[in-house]
Amino acid sequence: MSNDVYTDIWYDVIPLHHRPELVKECCKLLNTEWPRSETARLKSLKVSCDDFPTCLVLLDRESRVLGHCKVSLIPKVRHSCYIESVVVDYKSRAQGLGSRLLRGTEEYVARKGFKTVYLITKGQELFYIKNGYTICDPIETCGYRKFLPPTTIVEAKQKEKNTLFSGPPPPPMPQLVFEYFDIRMLSQKTHMVKKL
């Protein structure tokens, strides 16, 4: 068995590029959850490689694709990666397969030297909490500003204090009163992290 395969009694998690004949089946699975043109979807799946991004698939003993997730690098954040497009076939849900897919993905990235896994979710927070993830501040996952690491926020505030402005200061911001306010409430998506 390859070092890039997570196996238990009934299921394997393997890189999709090791089984290119499964790309079309994986495309169908992803398009059932997030519809997209087949051409665009196939193009995004065919970029899977050992050097990242890597698409991982959950297979049963008959080599049917039951789940998928994609792992990408995070620029400027050492030993960290970003998991996206986590999906389990609709007919196979509520059987623990999402957790098996995550465990296999975490073992795969741990063997590659990653120590921290980030993801974004909308509505599946309890599933990820059950699998050891915690809510975190946003981080930057790619070349454009999608997340901001907490250290960057601190550095930005410090830089703002040290910057000289010409003219009068702006008027104070209105005071908003929320009894249970959390800045993450402003986003519809939840940022999560797990230390491996």
Side-chain angles (χ1 to χ4, degrees), residues 116-134:
T116 308
V117 178
Y118 291 92
L119 58 84
I120 300 175
T121 188
K122 182 179 179 182
Q124 299 300 321
E125 292 84 0
L126 292 179
F127 166 75
Y128 290 110
I129 288 169
K130 179 183 89 172
N131 283 282
Y133 287 78
T134 57

Side-chain angles (χ1 to χ4, degrees), residues 6-12 58-61 66 97 100:
Y6 165 77
T7 303
D8 69 11
I9 297 172
W10 302 106
Y11 304 97
D12 293 326
L58 175 69
L59 303 177
D60 66 8
R61 288 291 161 214
L66 300 178
L97 298 181
R100 288 176 194 227

Side-chain angles (χ1 to χ4, degrees), residues 11 17 33 53 57-58 75 84 109 123 130-131 136 148 157 172 176 178:
Y11 304 97
H17 56 277
E33 191 73 22
V57 289
L58 175 69
E84 57 187 312
V109 299
K130 179 183 89 172
N131 283 282
C136 68
L148 283 177
K157 286 181 180 178
L176 300 175
F178 294 98

